[in-house]
Every structure is written in C-alpha cells, then in structure tokens.
Amino acid sequence: MALSPMMRQYLALKREIPEGAILMFRLGDFYEMFGEDAVVASPILGATLTRRGTQQMCGVPYHALNSYLAKLIRAGKTAALCDQVEDPKTAKGLVRREITRIVTPGTVIESNMLDESKNNYLASVFITDKGCGMSFIDISTGEVHLDSVSEGETINHVLNRLGTYSPSEVILNKYAASVKSVADFIKNRLSVDFQVVSEKNYNIDELKSEIFAHIQNNEEKINEFNKNEALLYSFGVALLYLKGVQKNNLENINDVDFYNEKSFLTLDLTAR
C-alpha cells in the first residue's frame, strides 16, 4: 500500500531524530504518535491506542503538552516535537512541519517538569590516557561547572564528581564508556542513560569557537581549555548537543565555573 503524503513526511522527520526518541507529530489540535512510538508511549501517557488503517496511533491534546512531556521524561524517554511551521490556511498542499525541539531528561527547561529543590544537570565526561575533562550543565538555569584531572586518581575523581552532581543524562567519549566502573556507576547508581560519542566526529577549531563565544573570550578561561583537550571536548561537545536539541543559541549560558576542591565534599562511593 502506498504511503500518504503525511506519512511520508512523518517518516522523513522520524529519520532526523535520535534512535529511540518518540516523535510527537502536531496534527491539528493534537500531538500524534504512530507505530512503535505509539505502542511505547500509550501506557506511559495514559493515551488510548487506536488504529488508522493498519497503523497504530495515539494522541494527546497540544494545550496539555507539558504534562504529557513530563510523563515521558520521568519514564526516561526522549521526545522530539514536530510542529507546523506555516499557516494551514495559506499552505499549498501538505503543511510544512519541522522538528522544533528534542526534549531529553538532561535538557528540560519547564519549571513544572523539574524538581525545584535541585539542579537538573547534563554531564559530559571525556577520559583520555592523559586525564579527563568533565562538564555539568543545567540548561534551565544556565549554570556550568567544569572539572579536569591531568593525572592521578582519574577514575575515582570522575565517580566522585558524578556522585556530587547526580546528572539526569550523561555524554561519554568511547574511552570513558569503556571503563566498566564508570558505565556501571551511571547505570546502576545514578539510574540514567548515557550516549557515546567519538572525538573523531568533531572539529577542534569548531569546538573552540563555540566555547569561546560562551565565555566572552575570557583569556584566563581560554587558557584552561587550551591546557586540557579532554575538557575542551567535554564542554564543546555538550554545547553542540544542547544547541541541536534546543534549536537555539543557548544565550543563557554565558559563563563557566571551574572546579574548586574546597567547594565540594568528596563522597564515599561505597556508603549508602
């Protein structure tokens, strides 16, 4: 059976989003989900699973979007919002739609979806044979905390910082993801997901340009990044990731704090 123009549009947009993300497709007064997305989302959202022909689907009213997004995020899911970007009354043929935002556990900005008693951090951890760089970013407040280790107890330091900040979402480079104690701590102690990226996919000059724009070309802070490539990758990759999901320039991120050991307690990771 030939696909309708709308379903061809839906499938094209589905290919643009991260694997496993649930595409919420604006259709009139509802955000609709189709196929496997509908099957997964229906029990989480309390939405009735129906069919359009052979296609399973479910939907939620657009005016209550945030309450439904909150349910998906609490379930550890990623949601991609697809909206109409032209007036249906003036559109010639199928209304044009685009991915306007991707919402993940570590990129929530809505106050009603956050625990106001604590920060909601995205963590980015890059480990190399020369040390590590770590970034903890709360996009809802614009807070950025950075940390690096050039030698010594690198892995223990990473675990302590992850325990201190307790991020909702984590980005790891391949080296960090290969360290069993790090991967196990994130999965079992923090109970969050992580994604793995490769430095080879990023241009270091592009990362520098992105970072320096957010720190107003502060020379002292620029030197900190130039001294530690792992830290540069950690923060730069996190910024590009956030720009990709937020679909904006992250104007509220305009400064960074570098870790000061006196500011934090070292956690006993064996204690509960």
Side-chain angles (χ1 to χ4, degrees):
M1 182 183 294
L3 294 172
S4 67
M6 189 198 75
M7 285 309 300
R8 287 200 296 271
Q9 183 187 55
Y10 171 87
L11 291 173
L13 290 162
K14 181 71 175 168
R15 288 191 288 271
E16 293 182 13
I17 65 176
E19 185 177 353
I22 292 172
L23 180 56
M24 303 183 75
F25 187 84
R26 179 71 182 270
L27 195 58
D29 290 337
F30 286 81
Y31 280 98
E32 301 285 358
M33 288 141 280
F34 298 95
E36 184 62 24
D37 283 358
V39 173
V40 172
S42 173
I44 297 171
L45 302 177
T48 302
L49 193 63
T50 61
R51 284 184 179 274
R52 173 180 284 185
T54 60
Q55 186 73 264
Q56 292 181 302
M57 61 183 292
C58 69
V60 296
Y62 82 95
H63 59 79
L65 173 64
N66 283 356
S67 64
Y68 289 104
L69 272 180
K71 292 180 180 181
L72 289 174
I73 295 303
R74 283 196 292 269
K77 303 299 181 183
T78 292
L81 302 182
C82 169
D83 288 294
Q84 298 170 173
V85 293
E86 64 178 340
D87 188 340
K89 295 178 182 177
T90 59
K92 295 180 179 180
L94 188 65
V95 176
R96 188 160 58 91
R97 294 177 173 85
E98 293 178 358
I99 304 299
T100 54
R101 185 178 162 207
I102 298 173
V103 186
T104 70
T107 63
V108 174
I109 56 175
E110 291 79 4
S111 59
N112 68 316
M113 294 167 59
L114 294 168
D115 181 346
E116 294 185 359
S117 67
K118 63 180 183 178
N119 286 94
N120 187 54
Y121 288 113
L122 165 74
S124 177
V125 180
F126 278 60
I127 301 176
T128 70
D129 56 359
K130 297 178 181 178
C132 74
M134 293 171 281
S135 304
F136 299 91
I137 305 172
D138 185 340
I139 188 62
S140 69
T141 64
E143 292 179 47
V144 179
H145 303 284
L146 305 176
D147 192 4
S148 62
V149 180
S150 57
E151 58 185 13
E153 296 293 321
T154 299
I155 303 305
N156 282 342
H157 192 78
V158 168
L159 298 181
N160 270 291
R161 296 282 70 77
L162 287 170
T164 296
Y165 288 102
S166 190
S168 299
E169 183 180 352
V170 182
I171 298 169
L172 301 176
N173 70 334
K174 288 184 177 180
Y175 191 115
S178 72
V179 179
K180 187 175 185 301
S181 59
V182 172
D184 287 349
F185 186 84
I186 294 168
K187 289 179 180 178
N188 302 326
R189 295 292 293 272
L190 299 180
S191 299
V192 301
D193 291 328
F194 63 82
Q195 59 174 299
V196 183
V197 300
S198 172
E199 293 93 330
K200 295 178 182 178
N201 296 333
Y202 298 92
N203 179 288
I204 196 164
D205 290 327
E206 180 186 3
L207 296 180
K208 286 182 178 181
S209 177
E210 189 68 40
I211 290 170
F212 298 165
H214 283 277
I215 58 175
Q216 289 87 48
N217 291 311
N218 181 299
E219 190 148 345
E220 183 180 352
K221 293 179 179 179
I222 286 173
N223 288 336
E224 290 292 332
F225 288 106
N226 286 333
K227 288 189 296 185
N228 190 317
E229 192 171 276
L231 183 63
L232 190 152
Y233 272 103
S234 167
F235 188 39
V237 169
L239 287 174
L240 290 180
Y241 172 71
L242 287 169
K243 284 183 72 174
V245 299
Q246 291 289 315
K247 309 295 182 183
N248 64 44
N249 290 323
L250 311 176
E251 292 180 359
N252 67 328
I253 295 179
N254 49 41
D255 199 7
V256 300
D257 289 326
F258 289 92
Y259 170 72
N260 179 345
E261 192 168 359
K262 295 178 182 178
S263 301
F264 294 93
L265 294 174
T266 299
L267 302 181
D268 178 359
L269 297 175
T270 64
R272 288 306 272 176

